Amino acid sequence: MNYRRLGSTGLQISELSFGAWVTFGDQIGQEMAERLMRVAFDAGVNYFDNAESYSGGKAETIMGNVFKNAGWARETFVVSTKFYWGLRETVNQRNTLNRKYLLEAINGSLKRLQLDYVDIVFAHRPDPDTPIAETVWAMHKLIESDKALYWGTSEWSAYEIVSAIYLAEKYHLHKPVTEQSHYNMFTREKLEKEYLRLFQEHHYGDVIWSPLASGFLSGKYNDGIPADSRAAQPGYEWLQKTFTSAERIDKVKQLAPIASDLGATMAQLAIAWCLKNPYLSSVILGASRPEQLQENLGARAIAPLLTPETLERIENVLQNKPR
Ligand code: NDP
């Protein structure tokens, strides 16, 4: 496994990591989650991602039980959680990054994860109703109280991130150090265009999510929606619209021969392609079964095979490089 620095910090995280969205608590239970996390850890994955809202808190509980059962030394893994959506339909507890919510939410997450601290805490979305300065102060407080070591943003605009960085510098507070962004062969604009100066001038980190576009880039949706797939899960029917797009399916079909020329699966090609982005600290993988995770971890060996010529072949199919 290769380890990359998280932005400008000294923290090193595995370039392939593992997250809990959709799967932990909804699709899979304790036993399967433990099998998956052990597969990841044994392959050198040291970074695990979660969020307060995943499966209404169950995903954190399951992950916390795995940390405990596995008995891994706390120094050997990095864990993140995210706050914004909240767990209760109550004022100040939902869709907010205000100080009250953030300072209370961390206690629930630490309890579910059975940990004294998380390594990274993310603002899961920007909150237009809370001054950015208030969120920066609250995140600073979480770090100063030893409940988190670093903080980051998820799906914030470059403007919002730079505002947070400048406010933190102005008041000598802990700055956000990384984004957690949606990035894959079909979703490129933010990372390859909007954030470029953020990476180059502020050395901001980025750990990216949905590298397979929720599984679509594995090619499993080329002939319809498999009954046991994410898009068939209750509550995720919204994925079906993009997953039945003839244009996108055609692109996945055209990418398949490029993958097989490299001796790779389509999922491995799509993940390896993400790894080629030099600004990424980690690609967060998702999996509902161990075979998927084993396959996806194999993308590490494919990334060095992506020569400029192969990347050009891929661009010719995708036709979506941000200008
Ligand atoms: P992917 O795009 O890689 O999708 C993972 C899903 O695709 C799996 O659960 C599985 O679903 C399917 N899949 C994975 N590998 C294969 C394979 N080899 N062959 C066939 N199907 C496969 O990643 P996620 O969308 O899960 O995102 C990864 C992580 O990123 C999340 O767990 C979470 O931690 C984080 N995240 C963060 C967000 C944010 O807002 N910050 C938002 C979303 C995710 P199935 O078997 O059910 O079809």
Side-chain angles (χ1 to χ4, degrees):
M1 180 61 69
N2 293 321
Y3 298 86
R4 299 187 186 188
R5 281 176 60 200
L6 180 67
S8 62
T9 76
L11 184 70
Q12 296 195 40
I13 56 174
S14 47
E15 64 182 6
L16 293 177
S17 46
F18 185 53
W21 183 53
V22 187
T23 48
F24 285 36
D26 286 335
Q27 264 179 302
I28 62 170
Q30 189 65 51
E31 199 186 324
M32 180 55 82
E34 182 155 343
R35 275 179 68 190
L36 288 163
M37 284 178 65
R38 282 180 184 275
V39 167
F41 192 77
D42 290 347
V45 167
N46 76 341
Y47 170 39
F48 297 93
D49 179 60
N50 216 315
E52 177 198 51
S53 59
Y54 291 171
S55 195
K58 274 189 261 166
E60 287 182 329
T61 301
I62 289 174
M63 192 174 272
N65 288 338
V66 176
F67 289 139
K68 197 168 175 203
N69 292 344
W72 299 330
R74 183 63 186 89
E75 299 78 18
T76 60
F77 62 89
V78 170
V79 59
S80 59
T81 195
K82 305 189 278 292
F83 299 123
Y84 169 73
W85 277 291
L87 290 176
R88 292 170 204 88
E89 290 287 350
T90 325
V91 65
N92 289 324
Q93 294 292 302
R94 193 140 205 99
N95 300 355
T96 181
L97 293 176
N98 71 31
R99 180 183 283 117
K100 177 172 169 58
Y101 162 69
L102 290 172
L103 266 54
E104 290 167 351
I106 188 78
N107 296 327
S109 283
L110 292 178
K111 202 167 167 193
R112 286 185 292 277
L113 288 164
Q114 304 178 62
L115 297 174
D116 296 329
Y117 65 92
V118 289
D119 298 273
I120 315 166
V121 61
F122 285 95
H124 210 156
R125 288 294 179 273
D127 169 14
D129 296 325
T130 297
I132 291 177
E134 179 174 336
T135 300
V136 174
W137 274 99
M139 291 296 197
H140 174 80
K141 176 91 178 158
L142 293 188
I143 294 174
E144 286 297 296
S145 57
D146 296 331
K147 293 180 179 178
L149 305 185
Y150 301 90
W151 78 277
T153 54
S154 182
E155 297 300 317
W156 285 32
S157 67
Y159 168 80
E160 290 161 331
I161 295 167
V162 171
S163 299
I165 291 172
Y166 283 151
L167 282 161
E169 284 176 347
K170 183 174 170 188
Y171 298 113
H172 304 286
L173 306 174
H174 291 288
K175 294 189 246 190
V177 297
T178 184
E179 240 290 316
Q180 185 172 128
S181 325
H182 192 191
Y183 184 64
N184 57 52
M185 284 175 160
F186 288 129
T187 305
R188 306 174 61 176
E189 195 76 10
K190 251 188 167 164
L191 229 110
E192 293 185 30
K193 191 172 170 184
E194 183 186 341
Y195 288 167
L196 263 194
R197 292 185 69 179
L198 203 54
F199 295 141
Q200 290 164 355
E201 294 174 20
H202 295 277
H203 305 290
Y204 206 60
D206 208 330
V207 293
I208 65 103
W209 55 271
S210 287
L212 296 180
S214 275
F216 183 76
L217 281 160
S218 70
K220 71 194 291 178
Y221 294 98
N222 285 358
D223 301 312
I225 311 277
D228 60 352
S229 66
R230 177 177 293 184
Q233 298 299 309
Y236 294 91
E237 297 83 1
W238 52 273
L239 287 170
Q240 294 184 10
K241 193 167 166 231
T242 38
F243 286 9
T244 48
S245 150
E247 190 195 335
R248 288 196 171 198
I249 289 173
D250 184 54
K251 286 186 178 179
V252 175
K253 285 182 176 166
Q254 287 183 57
L255 290 167
I258 304 177
S260 62
D261 285 355
L262 299 174
T265 65
M266 200 34 236
Q268 289 171 333
L269 179 75
I271 294 163
W273 179 89
C274 292
L275 281 173
K276 293 298 278 189
N277 187 311
Y279 299 114
L280 296 189
S281 301
S282 189
V283 174
I284 313 177
L285 305 174
S288 65
R289 50 204 87 160
E291 312 81 77
Q292 292 175 347
L293 191 53
Q294 295 280 16
E295 177 185 335
N296 299 351
L297 288 163
R300 280 181 45 243
I302 303 304
L305 309 180
L306 295 185
T307 59
E309 294 72 33
T310 306
L311 290 169
E312 193 57 36
R313 272 180 82 189
I314 293 171
E315 290 297 359
N316 288 338
V317 174
L318 294 177
Q319 298 285 329
N320 63 358
K321 193 177 174 62
R323 288 170 195 276

